PDB file of all heavy atoms in Angstrom:
ATOM      1  N   ALA A   4       2.147   7.175  -2.749  1.00 55.00           N
ATOM      2  CA  ALA A   4       3.130   7.858  -3.580  1.00 55.00           C
ATOM      3  C   ALA A   4       2.465   8.489  -4.793  1.00 55.00           C
ATOM      4  O   ALA A   4       1.521   7.950  -5.356  1.00 55.00           O
ATOM      5  CB  ALA A   4       4.202   6.883  -4.037  1.00 55.00           C
ATOM      6  N   TYR A   5       2.958   9.660  -5.177  1.00 65.00           N
ATOM      7  CA  TYR A   5       2.460  10.315  -6.379  1.00 65.00           C
ATOM      8  C   TYR A   5       3.224   9.875  -7.612  1.00 65.00           C
ATOM      9  O   TYR A   5       2.785  10.104  -8.727  1.00 65.00           O
ATOM     10  CB  TYR A   5       2.553  11.840  -6.231  1.00 65.00           C
ATOM     11  CG  TYR A   5       1.585  12.373  -5.204  1.00 65.00           C
ATOM     12  CD1 TYR A   5       2.018  12.749  -3.949  1.00 65.00           C
ATOM     13  CD2 TYR A   5       0.237  12.459  -5.497  1.00 65.00           C
ATOM     14  CE1 TYR A   5       1.116  13.228  -3.008  1.00 65.00           C
ATOM     15  CE2 TYR A   5      -0.665  12.924  -4.565  1.00 65.00           C
ATOM     16  CZ  TYR A   5      -0.215  13.310  -3.319  1.00 65.00           C
ATOM     17  OH  TYR A   5      -1.104  13.770  -2.385  1.00 65.00           O
ATOM     18  N   GLN A   6       4.381   9.270  -7.415  1.00 71.00           N
ATOM     19  CA  GLN A   6       5.160   8.753  -8.531  1.00 71.00           C
ATOM     20  C   GLN A   6       5.177   7.236  -8.414  1.00 71.00           C
ATOM     21  O   GLN A   6       5.811   6.680  -7.535  1.00 71.00           O
ATOM     22  CB  GLN A   6       6.586   9.289  -8.505  1.00 71.00           C
ATOM     23  CG  GLN A   6       6.663  10.764  -8.793  1.00 71.00           C
ATOM     24  CD  GLN A   6       8.099  11.244  -8.826  1.00 71.00           C
ATOM     25  OE1 GLN A   6       8.794  11.159  -7.832  1.00 71.00           O
ATOM     26  NE2 GLN A   6       8.511  11.721  -9.968  1.00 71.00           N
ATOM     27  N   LEU A   7       4.442   6.585  -9.282  1.00 77.00           N
ATOM     28  CA  LEU A   7       4.367   5.134  -9.278  1.00 77.00           C
ATOM     29  C   LEU A   7       4.877   4.595 -10.598  1.00 77.00           C
ATOM     30  O   LEU A   7       4.297   4.852 -11.651  1.00 77.00           O
ATOM     31  CB  LEU A   7       2.926   4.669  -9.074  1.00 77.00           C
ATOM     32  CG  LEU A   7       2.292   4.985  -7.727  1.00 77.00           C
ATOM     33  CD1 LEU A   7       0.828   4.557  -7.717  1.00 77.00           C
ATOM     34  CD2 LEU A   7       3.039   4.281  -6.616  1.00 77.00           C
ATOM     35  N   THR A   8       5.966   3.874 -10.534  1.00 82.00           N
ATOM     36  CA  THR A   8       6.512   3.197 -11.696  1.00 82.00           C
ATOM     37  C   THR A   8       6.748   1.752 -11.314  1.00 82.00           C
ATOM     38  O   THR A   8       7.443   1.473 -10.346  1.00 82.00           O
ATOM     39  CB  THR A   8       7.830   3.838 -12.164  1.00 82.00           C
ATOM     40  OG1 THR A   8       7.598   5.221 -12.421  1.00 82.00           O
ATOM     41  CG2 THR A   8       8.347   3.169 -13.422  1.00 82.00           C
ATOM     42  N   PHE A   9       6.134   0.847 -12.036  1.00 84.00           N
ATOM     43  CA  PHE A   9       6.301  -0.580 -11.791  1.00 84.00           C
ATOM     44  C   PHE A   9       7.202  -1.147 -12.870  1.00 84.00           C
ATOM     45  O   PHE A   9       7.158  -0.718 -14.024  1.00 84.00           O
ATOM     46  CB  PHE A   9       4.956  -1.298 -11.841  1.00 84.00           C
ATOM     47  CG  PHE A   9       3.950  -0.755 -10.870  1.00 84.00           C
ATOM     48  CD1 PHE A   9       2.872  -0.010 -11.318  1.00 84.00           C
ATOM     49  CD2 PHE A   9       4.089  -0.979  -9.516  1.00 84.00           C
ATOM     50  CE1 PHE A   9       1.941   0.495 -10.433  1.00 84.00           C
ATOM     51  CE2 PHE A   9       3.163  -0.474  -8.612  1.00 84.00           C
ATOM     52  CZ  PHE A   9       2.085   0.258  -9.075  1.00 84.00           C
ATOM     53  N   VAL A  21      -1.538  -4.418 -17.436  1.00 87.00           N
ATOM     54  CA  VAL A  21      -1.682  -3.886 -16.086  1.00 87.00           C
ATOM     55  C   VAL A  21      -3.123  -3.417 -15.940  1.00 87.00           C
ATOM     56  O   VAL A  21      -3.564  -2.530 -16.658  1.00 87.00           O
ATOM     57  CB  VAL A  21      -0.708  -2.711 -15.837  1.00 87.00           C
ATOM     58  CG1 VAL A  21      -0.860  -2.190 -14.413  1.00 87.00           C
ATOM     59  CG2 VAL A  21       0.733  -3.130 -16.112  1.00 87.00           C
ATOM     60  N   VAL A  23      -5.626  -1.317 -14.266  1.00 79.00           N
ATOM     61  CA  VAL A  23      -5.555  -0.071 -13.509  1.00 79.00           C
ATOM     62  C   VAL A  23      -6.915   0.199 -12.877  1.00 79.00           C
ATOM     63  O   VAL A  23      -7.927   0.179 -13.577  1.00 79.00           O
ATOM     64  CB  VAL A  23      -5.155   1.099 -14.439  1.00 79.00           C
ATOM     65  CG1 VAL A  23      -5.106   2.396 -13.682  1.00 79.00           C
ATOM     66  CG2 VAL A  23      -3.824   0.810 -15.113  1.00 79.00           C
ATOM     67  N   PRO A  24      -6.962   0.450 -11.569  1.00 73.00           N
ATOM     68  CA  PRO A  24      -8.249   0.681 -10.915  1.00 73.00           C
ATOM     69  C   PRO A  24      -9.016   1.857 -11.525  1.00 73.00           C
ATOM     70  O   PRO A  24      -8.478   2.940 -11.669  1.00 73.00           O
ATOM     71  CB  PRO A  24      -7.875   0.975  -9.458  1.00 73.00           C
ATOM     72  CG  PRO A  24      -6.395   1.024  -9.391  1.00 73.00           C
ATOM     73  CD  PRO A  24      -5.834   0.624 -10.705  1.00 73.00           C
ATOM     74  N   GLY A  25     -10.244   1.606 -11.914  1.00 76.00           N
ATOM     75  CA  GLY A  25     -11.095   2.655 -12.451  1.00 76.00           C
ATOM     76  C   GLY A  25     -10.773   3.092 -13.864  1.00 76.00           C
ATOM     77  O   GLY A  25     -11.452   3.934 -14.431  1.00 76.00           O
ATOM     78  N   SER A  26      -9.725   2.516 -14.456  1.00 77.00           N
ATOM     79  CA  SER A  26      -9.312   2.951 -15.795  1.00 77.00           C
ATOM     80  C   SER A  26      -9.247   1.821 -16.800  1.00 77.00           C
ATOM     81  O   SER A  26      -8.998   2.057 -17.968  1.00 77.00           O
ATOM     82  CB  SER A  26      -7.935   3.621 -15.734  1.00 77.00           C
ATOM     83  OG  SER A  26      -7.982   4.751 -14.916  1.00 77.00           O
ATOM     84  N   SER A  29      -4.091  -1.303 -19.175  1.00 83.00           N
ATOM     85  CA  SER A  29      -3.015  -0.681 -19.949  1.00 83.00           C
ATOM     86  C   SER A  29      -2.065  -1.778 -20.375  1.00 83.00           C
ATOM     87  O   SER A  29      -1.880  -2.761 -19.652  1.00 83.00           O
ATOM     88  CB  SER A  29      -2.269   0.357 -19.118  1.00 83.00           C
ATOM     89  OG  SER A  29      -3.115   1.434 -18.813  1.00 83.00           O
ATOM     90  N   PHE A  41       5.977   0.165 -16.318  1.00 85.00           N
ATOM     91  CA  PHE A  41       4.671   0.800 -16.421  1.00 85.00           C
ATOM     92  C   PHE A  41       4.709   2.032 -15.535  1.00 85.00           C
ATOM     93  O   PHE A  41       4.928   1.938 -14.330  1.00 85.00           O
ATOM     94  CB  PHE A  41       3.553  -0.151 -15.987  1.00 85.00           C
ATOM     95  CG  PHE A  41       2.200   0.493 -15.962  1.00 85.00           C
ATOM     96  CD1 PHE A  41       1.564   0.817 -17.138  1.00 85.00           C
ATOM     97  CD2 PHE A  41       1.580   0.791 -14.764  1.00 85.00           C
ATOM     98  CE1 PHE A  41       0.313   1.419 -17.129  1.00 85.00           C
ATOM     99  CE2 PHE A  41       0.331   1.395 -14.736  1.00 85.00           C
ATOM    100  CZ  PHE A  41      -0.303   1.711 -15.923  1.00 85.00           C
ATOM    101  N   ASP A  42       4.489   3.196 -16.111  1.00 83.00           N
ATOM    102  CA  ASP A  42       4.572   4.458 -15.380  1.00 83.00           C
ATOM    103  C   ASP A  42       3.164   4.980 -15.116  1.00 83.00           C
ATOM    104  O   ASP A  42       2.425   5.302 -16.037  1.00 83.00           O
ATOM    105  CB  ASP A  42       5.373   5.466 -16.185  1.00 83.00           C
ATOM    106  CG  ASP A  42       5.658   6.744 -15.420  1.00 83.00           C
ATOM    107  OD1 ASP A  42       5.175   6.885 -14.278  1.00 83.00           O
ATOM    108  OD2 ASP A  42       6.372   7.599 -15.960  1.00 83.00           O
ATOM    109  N   TYR A  43       2.797   5.060 -13.845  1.00 78.00           N
ATOM    110  CA  TYR A  43       1.486   5.562 -13.432  1.00 78.00           C
ATOM    111  C   TYR A  43       1.623   6.925 -12.748  1.00 78.00           C
ATOM    112  O   TYR A  43       0.719   7.398 -12.087  1.00 78.00           O
ATOM    113  CB  TYR A  43       0.830   4.541 -12.500  1.00 78.00           C
ATOM    114  CG  TYR A  43      -0.655   4.735 -12.313  1.00 78.00           C
ATOM    115  CD1 TYR A  43      -1.530   4.563 -13.372  1.00 78.00           C
ATOM    116  CD2 TYR A  43      -1.176   5.069 -11.077  1.00 78.00           C
ATOM    117  CE1 TYR A  43      -2.901   4.732 -13.194  1.00 78.00           C
ATOM    118  CE2 TYR A  43      -2.541   5.246 -10.891  1.00 78.00           C
ATOM    119  CZ  TYR A  43      -3.392   5.076 -11.958  1.00 78.00           C
ATOM    120  OH  TYR A  43      -4.745   5.248 -11.789  1.00 78.00           O
ATOM    121  N   THR A  44       2.746   7.554 -12.931  1.00 77.00           N
ATOM    122  CA  THR A  44       3.028   8.847 -12.311  1.00 77.00           C
ATOM    123  C   THR A  44       1.989   9.879 -12.724  1.00 77.00           C
ATOM    124  O   THR A  44       1.619   9.969 -13.891  1.00 77.00           O
ATOM    125  CB  THR A  44       4.430   9.338 -12.702  1.00 77.00           C
ATOM    126  OG1 THR A  44       5.373   8.370 -12.254  1.00 77.00           O
ATOM    127  CG2 THR A  44       4.750  10.684 -12.096  1.00 77.00           C
ATOM    128  N   GLY A  45       1.525  10.648 -11.759  1.00 66.00           N
ATOM    129  CA  GLY A  45       0.562  11.704 -12.041  1.00 66.00           C
ATOM    130  C   GLY A  45      -0.872  11.241 -12.097  1.00 66.00           C
ATOM    131  O   GLY A  45      -1.787  12.041 -12.237  1.00 66.00           O
ATOM    132  N   ASN A  46      -1.101   9.941 -11.990  1.00 64.00           N
ATOM    133  CA  ASN A  46      -2.451   9.418 -12.057  1.00 64.00           C
ATOM    134  C   ASN A  46      -2.988   8.973 -10.706  1.00 64.00           C
ATOM    135  O   ASN A  46      -4.138   8.601 -10.600  1.00 64.00           O
ATOM    136  CB  ASN A  46      -2.512   8.226 -13.019  1.00 64.00           C
ATOM    137  CG  ASN A  46      -2.233   8.656 -14.434  1.00 64.00           C
ATOM    138  OD1 ASN A  46      -2.875   9.544 -14.948  1.00 64.00           O
ATOM    139  ND2 ASN A  46      -1.244   8.035 -15.055  1.00 64.00           N
ATOM    140  N   SER A  47      -2.143   8.970  -9.693  1.00 56.00           N
ATOM    141  CA  SER A  47      -2.579   8.485  -8.395  1.00 56.00           C
ATOM    142  C   SER A  47      -3.127   9.616  -7.542  1.00 56.00           C
ATOM    143  O   SER A  47      -2.851  10.783  -7.768  1.00 56.00           O
ATOM    144  CB  SER A  47      -1.420   7.798  -7.670  1.00 56.00           C
ATOM    145  OG  SER A  47      -0.402   8.738  -7.392  1.00 56.00           O
ATOM    146  N   SER A  48      -3.900   9.237  -6.567  1.00 57.00           N
ATOM    147  CA  SER A  48      -4.483  10.194  -5.635  1.00 57.00           C
ATOM    148  C   SER A  48      -4.167   9.738  -4.221  1.00 57.00           C
ATOM    149  O   SER A  48      -4.318   8.572  -3.904  1.00 57.00           O
ATOM    150  CB  SER A  48      -5.992  10.262  -5.833  1.00 57.00           C
ATOM    151  OG  SER A  48      -6.578  10.995  -4.786  1.00 57.00           O
ATOM    152  N   HIS A  53      -5.136   2.030  -4.262  1.00 73.00           N
ATOM    153  CA  HIS A  53      -5.113   1.369  -5.564  1.00 73.00           C
ATOM    154  C   HIS A  53      -4.513  -0.021  -5.427  1.00 73.00           C
ATOM    155  O   HIS A  53      -3.558  -0.208  -4.695  1.00 73.00           O
ATOM    156  CB  HIS A  53      -4.250   2.139  -6.577  1.00 73.00           C
ATOM    157  CG  HIS A  53      -4.755   3.502  -6.910  1.00 73.00           C
ATOM    158  ND1 HIS A  53      -6.043   3.747  -7.299  1.00 73.00           N
ATOM    159  CD2 HIS A  53      -4.135   4.697  -6.925  1.00 73.00           C
ATOM    160  CE1 HIS A  53      -6.194   5.035  -7.547  1.00 73.00           C
ATOM    161  NE2 HIS A  53      -5.047   5.642  -7.307  1.00 73.00           N
ATOM    162  N   PHE A  55      -3.205  -2.876  -8.218  1.00 84.00           N
ATOM    163  CA  PHE A  55      -2.948  -3.157  -9.619  1.00 84.00           C
ATOM    164  C   PHE A  55      -2.751  -4.657  -9.787  1.00 84.00           C
ATOM    165  O   PHE A  55      -2.181  -5.306  -8.919  1.00 84.00           O
ATOM    166  CB  PHE A  55      -1.672  -2.447 -10.090  1.00 84.00           C
ATOM    167  CG  PHE A  55      -1.742  -0.957  -9.979  1.00 84.00           C
ATOM    168  CD1 PHE A  55      -1.434  -0.318  -8.782  1.00 84.00           C
ATOM    169  CD2 PHE A  55      -2.094  -0.187 -11.063  1.00 84.00           C
ATOM    170  CE1 PHE A  55      -1.491   1.058  -8.673  1.00 84.00           C
ATOM    171  CE2 PHE A  55      -2.151   1.194 -10.968  1.00 84.00           C
ATOM    172  CZ  PHE A  55      -1.854   1.817  -9.769  1.00 84.00           C
TER     173      PHE A  55
END
Side-chain angles (χ1 to χ4, degrees):
Y5 291 103
Q6 292 183 298
L7 294 176
T8 304
F9 303 108
V21 181
V23 179
S26 299
S29 294
F41 175 72
D42 187 356
Y43 196 66
T44 300
N46 294 306
S47 65
S48 169
H53 296 309
F55 299 85

